[in-house]
Amino acid sequence: AKYLIEEIAGVEVEVDIASEFRYRKHPFREDNLMLFISQSGETADTLAALKYAKSHGQKILSIINVAQSSMAELSDSVIKTVAGPEIGVASTRSEEHTSE
Protein backbone atom coordinates (compact mmCIF):
# COMPACT_ATOMS: atom_id res chain seq x y z
CA ALA A 1 0.00 0.00 0.00
CA LYS A 2 2.94 2.33 0.72
CA TYR A 3 4.13 2.24 -2.88
CA LEU A 4 0.61 2.53 -4.28
CA ILE A 5 -0.23 5.58 -2.15
CA GLU A 6 3.09 7.25 -3.00
CA GLU A 7 2.57 6.63 -6.72
CA ILE A 8 -1.09 7.61 -6.96
CA ALA A 9 -1.25 10.42 -4.39
CA GLY A 10 2.30 11.65 -4.82
CA VAL A 11 2.90 11.89 -1.08
CA GLU A 12 5.68 10.46 1.08
CA VAL A 13 4.58 7.46 3.17
CA GLU A 14 6.28 5.95 6.22
CA VAL A 15 5.20 2.57 7.59
CA ASP A 16 5.60 1.53 11.22
CA ILE A 17 4.62 -1.55 13.19
CA ALA A 18 2.22 -0.35 15.89
CA SER A 19 4.08 -2.05 18.75
CA GLU A 20 7.26 -0.14 17.80
CA PHE A 21 5.67 3.21 16.92
CA ARG A 22 6.18 4.92 20.30
CA TYR A 23 9.85 4.00 20.53
CA ARG A 24 11.33 6.13 17.77
CA LYS A 25 11.42 9.83 17.01
CA HIS A 26 8.67 10.88 14.61
CA PRO A 27 8.42 13.94 12.41
CA PHE A 28 5.08 15.07 13.86
CA ARG A 29 3.91 17.90 11.60
CA GLU A 30 0.64 19.79 11.21
CA ASP A 31 0.04 18.41 7.73
CA ASN A 32 0.48 14.70 8.64
CA LEU A 33 -2.27 12.15 8.29
CA MET A 34 -1.76 8.96 10.27
CA LEU A 35 -3.47 5.82 9.00
CA PHE A 36 -4.24 3.00 11.45
CA ILE A 37 -5.58 -0.42 10.42
CA SER A 38 -7.27 -2.92 12.74
CA GLN A 39 -9.93 -5.58 12.27
CA SER A 40 -11.51 -5.13 15.70
CA GLY A 41 -10.62 -1.52 16.41
CA GLU A 42 -9.44 -2.68 19.83
CA THR A 43 -5.97 -4.08 19.02
CA ALA A 44 -3.90 -2.94 22.05
CA ASP A 45 -0.65 -1.97 20.26
CA THR A 46 -2.48 -0.19 17.45
CA LEU A 47 -4.77 1.63 19.89
CA ALA A 48 -1.78 2.77 22.01
CA ALA A 49 0.01 4.05 18.88
CA LEU A 50 -3.13 5.90 17.79
CA LYS A 51 -3.46 7.57 21.21
CA TYR A 52 0.22 8.55 21.10
CA ALA A 53 -0.15 10.12 17.64
CA LYS A 54 -3.34 11.90 18.65
CA SER A 55 -1.63 13.29 21.78
CA HIS A 56 0.88 14.91 19.39
CA GLY A 57 -1.89 16.63 17.40
CA GLN A 58 -1.90 14.28 14.41
CA LYS A 59 -4.95 13.78 12.18
CA ILE A 60 -6.10 10.15 12.38
CA LEU A 61 -7.75 8.00 9.69
CA SER A 62 -8.57 4.44 10.71
CA ILE A 63 -9.54 1.47 8.57
CA ILE A 64 -11.55 -0.88 10.78
CA ASN A 65 -14.28 -3.47 10.66
CA VAL A 66 -16.07 -2.58 13.93
CA ALA A 67 -17.80 0.80 13.77
CA GLN A 68 -18.41 0.98 17.55
CA SER A 69 -14.78 0.48 18.57
CA SER A 70 -12.33 2.54 20.61
CA MET A 71 -10.33 3.31 17.47
CA ALA A 72 -13.42 4.58 15.68
CA GLU A 73 -14.26 6.91 18.58
CA LEU A 74 -10.72 8.34 18.73
CA SER A 75 -10.26 8.78 14.97
CA ASP A 76 -10.96 11.93 12.99
CA SER A 77 -12.22 9.82 10.06
CA VAL A 78 -13.02 6.13 9.64
CA ILE A 79 -13.22 3.79 6.67
CA LYS A 80 -15.32 0.76 7.57
CA THR A 81 -14.41 -2.49 5.83
CA VAL A 82 -17.82 -4.12 6.55
CA ALA A 83 -16.10 -7.52 6.34
CA GLY A 84 -18.38 -9.23 8.84
CA PRO A 85 -17.45 -10.70 12.21
CA GLU A 86 -13.98 -12.04 12.89
CA ILE A 87 -14.10 -15.81 13.24
CA GLY A 88 -11.28 -17.67 14.96
CA VAL A 89 -10.77 -21.39 15.13
CA ALA A 90 -9.08 -22.85 18.19
CA SER A 91 -6.19 -25.15 17.43
CA THR A 92 -4.37 -27.50 19.77
CA ARG A 93 -1.68 -28.23 17.18
CA SER A 94 -0.44 -25.91 14.48
CA GLU A 95 1.74 -28.44 12.70
CA GLU A 96 1.74 -32.16 12.40
CA HIS A 97 4.47 -34.15 14.15
CA THR A 98 5.30 -37.74 13.38
CA SER A 99 7.02 -40.09 15.77
CA GLU A 100 9.65 -42.42 14.45
Side-chain angles (χ1 to χ4, degrees):
K2 169 188 169 51
Y3 303 122
L4 189 61
I5 293 169
E6 286 180 334
E7 184 176 325
I8 293 173
V11 296
E12 180 183 347
V13 175
E14 287 189 40
V15 178
D16 282 294
I17 297 170
S19 62
E20 299 174 7
F21 182 76
R22 295 175 289 163
Y23 303 107
R24 77 172 186 95
K25 186 175 179 172
H26 290 280
F28 291 124
R29 298 186 318 244
E30 264 186 44
D31 63 345
N32 281 349
L33 173 66
M34 303 254 172
L35 173 63
F36 292 87
I37 303 170
S38 170
Q39 190 282 331
S40 67
E42 301 295 341
T43 307
D45 288 339
T46 308
L47 192 53
L50 186 154
K51 289 176 181 178
Y52 179 71
K54 191 157 184 81
S55 74
H56 284 82
Q58 301 302 284
K59 293 176 185 75
I60 309 294
L61 169 63
S62 291
I63 299 176
I64 55 174
N65 190 41
V66 181
Q68 300 79 21
S69 66
S70 297
M71 284 180 65
E73 292 177 17
L74 293 169
S75 298
D76 297 303
S77 297
V78 174
I79 297 173
K80 299 172 202 144
T81 63
V82 194
E86 180 178 20
I87 298 172
V89 178
S91 173
T92 57
R93 292 179 6 170
S94 59
E95 62 181 67
E96 187 175 326
H97 294 279
T98 59
S99 57
E100 294 180 28

